Amino acid sequence: MGGEYWQAEPDGPARERTVRLDVPGRAESLPLITADGVFGTQRVDRGTGVLIRHAPAPAPGTGVVDVGCGYGPISVAMGLRQPAAGVWAVDVNRRALALTARNAATAGAHNVVTAEPESIPAALRFDRIYSHPPIKIGRSSMHELLDGWLQRLAHGGDAFLVVKQSMGADSLHSWLTDSGYQAARAASKQGYRLLHVNTNADSRQPPGLTPADLRTIARATGRTWNVLGRLAGGRSDSVQFLGSGEDRAVAKIKLGAWWGPQLAELEATAAELAEAGYPTPAILAHGPLAGDERHFLLTAFEPDAEPAATDATFLAQAAAAVGRQAGVRPRPERDWSAMVTLFLNGGITEHEFHPELAGLAARALALVPHPVPALPSTEFVHGDFTTANLLSRNGALSAVIDLEGFGRGTRTIDLVSLLASVIGDAPASAVQALARDAVAASDEATFRACLAHRVLASLLSATDFPERLTEVSKRARLLLALAD
């Protein structure tokens, strides 16, 4: 066989041959190239055929993955059945990936992207998984493999798995159920079971890009894009990962008429920030979408990026990035300083906090005079400058993302926001350095007002979630200690 098909580099020569693939809805079968050292080298195996015939095609505007793609029959079939979806063809076998790329190109399935598992961004989530899993790697290894991929389904996503009945299909079904997945038999043909798997995750998520939306983005950028999946972390916004050839981008859908001028101002402001050395991804395009006040924002994707660190060196680099905001002065439509003072001067003084939080709320309110005077409001403010919006590469700050909610205000707001996101995790010396930077960016009174705002907002957020009380209380105490 020229080596086991689950090896990265199969042994022996890659003796090639041609097999035929039947795709539902197409009158003629397609030629696919196979080779020794790849699964199903003699023909399109029956299990793969069962999946192709009985599993539904991807929905338009979704990103799906074929786990253990081999030479690509499932990937090519699904890519052809739904050209408006992005299909990842994933395998550890590099010979298999090379064959899949050739076969997809020959078949005209230009929406198929080949990749080794570790090269797929860790934050990417898929709308559907297709797989004829590699039974021969052993039961425990296969369970670990499948669980890892099923954990990467987007909310509301599903999977179609085909397994030979005599090789443990029913035991796999039981394992899936015992592991908390909703699994049902979708088909039973030619000795194979096709299992349909759903996660128990909340299926509510923002609607994604439609084919019409993708055409709008194509006109704005002069190139065609496919959705390759959703990026974890999006809450109210739909955040999708797009591909165009070898290029990758992040697309967000923003709801509300006011996003039109806000995104236009962002484009100019981001260019000014970039000139100042502020590390933020390039804006590729933005504009209106069809529907009820929908807009899109397309930014360059940061490859090889990792979540933010909390060590002193990284946090010093983040504080330096905030320092580069000083000379950038966007238009005053969105005023973060005014929002802070409005919050502190509003009904928060009369709010009845949870009994366990009331003392901390009183301490936070005591940090500021009443009414709170206007805060400085001339500089660029990110508005959510936390570790969730910072990316690293090789331990260094590589990008600040999610700038679109920016406004004017004082840089102290962003530095206190960063403080709140790392308090309790970062070294004490790094926390003290950030606090000093936050005071230096304005003055002591502004620092205390921003600190009070951040503490009170966190206490409010915990009121309806008793399980968070202990953690929120701990962080609030640490933040309040910075004002002592």
Side-chain angles (χ1 to χ4, degrees), residues 143-417:
H143 288 175
E144 182 179 358
L145 172 74
L146 290 177
D147 190 52
W149 284 103
L150 290 170
Q151 293 295 326
R152 298 188 66 175
L153 282 172
H155 294 309
D158 61 2
F160 286 89
L161 314 175
V162 66
V163 180
K164 198 170 187 178
Q165 184 177 353
S166 63
M167 297 186 71
D170 293 337
S171 65
L172 176 61
H173 191 165
S174 297
W175 172 79
L176 288 165
T177 302
D178 293 342
S179 299
Y181 298 105
Q182 298 173 353
R185 187 184 303 173
S188 183
K189 303 287 184 181
Q190 297 180 295
Y192 284 86
R193 306 280 202 229
L194 179 64
L195 303 179
H196 183 206
V197 186
N198 285 287
T199 65
N200 286 321
D202 186 344
S203 62
R204 292 171 296 176
Q205 64 178 352
L209 295 166
T210 67
D213 294 336
L214 290 171
R215 290 193 291 272
T216 297
I217 295 174
R219 288 192 294 270
T221 58
R223 60 195 309 178
T224 300
W225 297 87
N226 282 112
V227 173
L228 297 178
R230 296 177 182 262
L231 290 170
R235 292 177 287 235
S236 59
D237 298 330
S238 172
V239 184
Q240 293 181 283
F241 186 59
L242 306 188
S244 179
E246 297 298 318
D247 291 335
R248 302 288 179 261
V250 178
K252 285 187 176 182
I253 298 175
K254 312 297 293 186
L255 301 178
W258 80 282
W259 280 109
Q262 176 75 0
L263 295 179
E265 180 69 15
L266 171 64
E267 184 173 23
T269 302
E272 192 175 352
L273 286 166
E275 288 183 9
Y278 190 85
T280 187
I283 295 175
L284 304 180
H286 62 87
L289 296 172
D292 186 17
E293 300 179 343
R294 299 167 69 239
H295 293 78
F296 78 90
L297 172 65
L298 189 72
T299 58
F301 175 68
E302 289 291 308
D304 305 319
E306 299 176 346
T310 57
D311 61 88
T313 299
F314 183 90
L315 295 178
Q317 292 173 352
V322 175
R324 297 186 184 100
Q325 300 172 194
V328 179
R329 299 170 184 269
R331 294 178 184 176
E333 282 87 351
R334 188 176 177 90
D335 192 323
W336 277 96
S337 286
M339 284 189 272
V340 169
T341 54
L342 182 64
F343 175 89
L344 293 173
N345 288 327
I348 192 68
T349 57
E350 306 299 327
H351 182 78
E352 292 187 14
F353 286 87
H354 188 283
E356 293 185 27
L357 305 177
L360 293 170
R363 286 179 59 189
L365 288 168
L367 293 178
V368 294
H370 299 284
V372 178
L375 303 182
S377 185
T378 57
E379 303 166 330
F380 171 90
V381 174
H382 181 291
D384 192 20
F385 196 89
T386 68
T387 51
N389 288 327
L390 304 180
L391 301 178
S392 69
R393 187 179 296 115
N394 298 322
L397 177 67
S398 63
V400 182
I401 61 174
D402 292 356
L403 267 66
E404 64 269 18
F406 78 98
R408 291 184 72 160
T410 168
R411 286 175 294 131
T412 300
I413 293 172
D414 281 348
L415 288 165
V416 170
S417 182

